[in-house]
Amino acid sequence: MESLNKSSQSGIKGLFASFVGFLRKCIFHVLSVGPMPTHIAFIMDGNRRYARKKNLKEGAGHRVGFLAFLSTLKYGYELGVKYVTVYAFSIDNFKRRAKEVQYVMDLLDEKLEELLNQKSILDSYGVRIRFIGNLSLLNESTRVATEKAMAGTAKNDKAVLLICLAYSSTDEIVHAVQEACNEKWNKLQEMDSNERGNDSILATRAMTHKECAIKLADLERHMYLSGVPDPDILIRSSGESRLSNFLLWQTTYCHLYSPAALWPEISLWTLLWAILNFQQAEAYLEKKKKLA
């Protein structure tokens, strides 16, 4: 009798899951009638506050937050979003207590391994992982884990997950300026070596200095997110409206959405409301882009 009850409960759960899945597909189909985002970025804020709110052990909020991240990732790719960017760890976060930083790094190593072992979400949606940021700041084990994750998903080409780790927007901009300057300097050195013995050195040098002036395109080519379209929507959980040094260069015409829910509380409905708000603002945002 007990086994019969368990079988019945399992059948009911299966039917309910099928119904929820069908309902979700219907909602996604209706939503897709309007303009859909290509790129959504997330600031996953509120893991520590969630742990305090629920009286959980220190660090437990990050574990629950990882489950919210997986669900949100799945819903995004089901909706046809090609690029998802998440702010996993800021350069400023290294200033936190060493124990907390190490916990987050260990959790990241663990979850990356878990993702690669299961690969259900990554392979079913063809997701390639890219890590963005000053990865030289990471410890060796985390750096190895990121390289393994990127290599393990390199052949996937339908969607991209960009994980900003040891990242800040100001660091990205400084990096781009430095790389652009180095590139131009090397070009000048090469031209100078070719001009030796030439009677028109001064005229040629004036021309080359003009050609070697750093342009906007030079900086964008050396950004960490080079080749990735700017985000259409940036969602920051916990009701905060600050960008916190995240994608400052890329969010000029981005729709910002700040739900009150802490990151572990983020749900499908949060994502749907963000897209609905974006669809209402999309015409205005496109108009602003054209006027720029």
Side-chain angles (χ1 to χ4, degrees):
M1 189 69 172
E2 185 178 346
S3 61
L4 185 63
N5 286 336
K6 287 183 179 179
S7 177
S8 177
Q9 289 174 3
S10 177
I12 292 171
K13 287 180 180 178
L15 285 172
F16 181 74
S18 298
F19 173 73
V20 170
F22 172 75
L23 183 62
R24 189 168 71 241
K25 287 181 180 178
C26 291
I27 293 171
F28 288 0
H29 180 72
V30 172
L31 201 64
S32 67
V33 174
M36 294 296 290
T38 299
H39 183 179
I40 301 180
F42 295 92
I43 299 178
M44 302 183 292
D45 192 20
N47 290 311
R48 293 187 299 170
R49 275 174 282 172
Y50 178 84
R52 290 195 294 268
K53 177 181 174 182
K54 298 293 184 179
N55 294 317
L56 302 175
K57 292 181 180 178
E58 184 177 5
H62 289 90
R63 290 189 175 275
V64 182
F66 179 76
L67 297 177
F69 160 71
L70 288 181
S71 298
T72 304
L73 194 65
K74 176 184 174 183
Y75 297 143
Y77 292 134
E78 284 182 2
L79 281 161
V81 177
K82 186 169 177 59
Y83 297 90
V84 172
T85 300
V86 294
Y87 202 7
F89 200 81
S90 163
I91 287 177
D92 290 338
N93 290 154
F94 283 111
K95 298 174 184 176
R96 292 179 178 176
R97 291 182 300 111
K99 183 179 177 181
E100 182 182 349
V101 172
Q102 189 58 49
Y103 179 86
V104 174
M105 291 295 116
D106 290 343
L107 179 62
L108 179 65
D109 294 352
E110 174 191 326
K111 294 308 178 183
L112 283 176
E113 189 70 28
E114 194 176 303
L115 267 178
L116 290 175
N117 287 338
Q118 296 179 359
K119 295 190 74 174
S120 54
I121 292 180
L122 301 179
D123 285 345
S124 59
Y125 297 106
V127 180
R128 177 165 56 93
I129 296 178
R130 279 182 58 188
F131 284 90
I132 303 298
N134 191 346
L135 303 184
S136 64
L137 298 176
L138 301 175
N139 61 43
E140 185 178 357
S141 66
T142 303
R143 198 160 53 247
V144 169
T146 61
E147 291 168 358
K148 186 177 178 181
M150 287 191 284
T153 60
K155 293 182 179 179
N156 293 342
D157 59 1
K158 293 181 181 177
V160 182
L161 169 62
L162 300 115
I163 302 176
C164 293
L165 195 60
Y167 172 90
S168 74
S169 193
T170 47
D171 176 74
E172 180 182 25
I173 294 168
V174 169
H175 165 80
V177 171
Q178 289 173 336
E179 290 297 309
C181 287
N182 290 338
E183 181 182 65
K184 296 297 184 178
W185 174 251
N186 292 335
K187 185 176 180 180
L188 277 173
Q189 293 290 92
E190 182 182 347
M191 287 181 173
D192 281 349
S193 65
N194 293 334
E195 289 167 4
R196 287 170 188 165
N198 192 326
D199 292 337
S200 58
I201 288 179
L202 291 178
T204 307
R205 184 167 295 175
M207 180 182 69
T208 55
H209 277 281
K210 184 177 180 181
E211 289 176 351
C212 289
I214 294 177
K215 301 178 179 64
L216 179 63
D218 298 318
L219 294 182
E220 292 186 334
R221 189 170 63 255
H222 291 290
M223 289 285 178
Y224 292 141
L225 272 80
S226 175
V228 176
D230 291 346
D232 300 295
I233 307 173
L234 191 154
I235 300 174
R236 176 167 186 161
S237 54
S238 79
E240 294 285 351
S241 55
R242 297 175 290 110
L243 292 179
S244 294
N245 213 347
F246 180 55
L247 303 185
L248 302 180
W249 186 276
Q250 296 89 353
T251 51
T252 305
Y253 302 105
C254 178
H255 178 68
L256 304 178
Y257 184 68
S258 303
L262 302 174
W263 177 254
E265 299 169 336
I266 288 292
S267 67
L268 169 62
W269 304 111
T270 309
L271 187 60
L272 294 180
W273 277 115
I275 293 174
L276 283 169
N277 276 275
F278 163 74
Q279 289 179 337
Q280 292 176 338
E282 193 265 347
Y284 173 78
L285 293 172
E286 283 301 314
K287 182 181 177 181
K288 286 293 183 182
K289 286 181 187 178
K290 291 175 181 177
L291 291 174

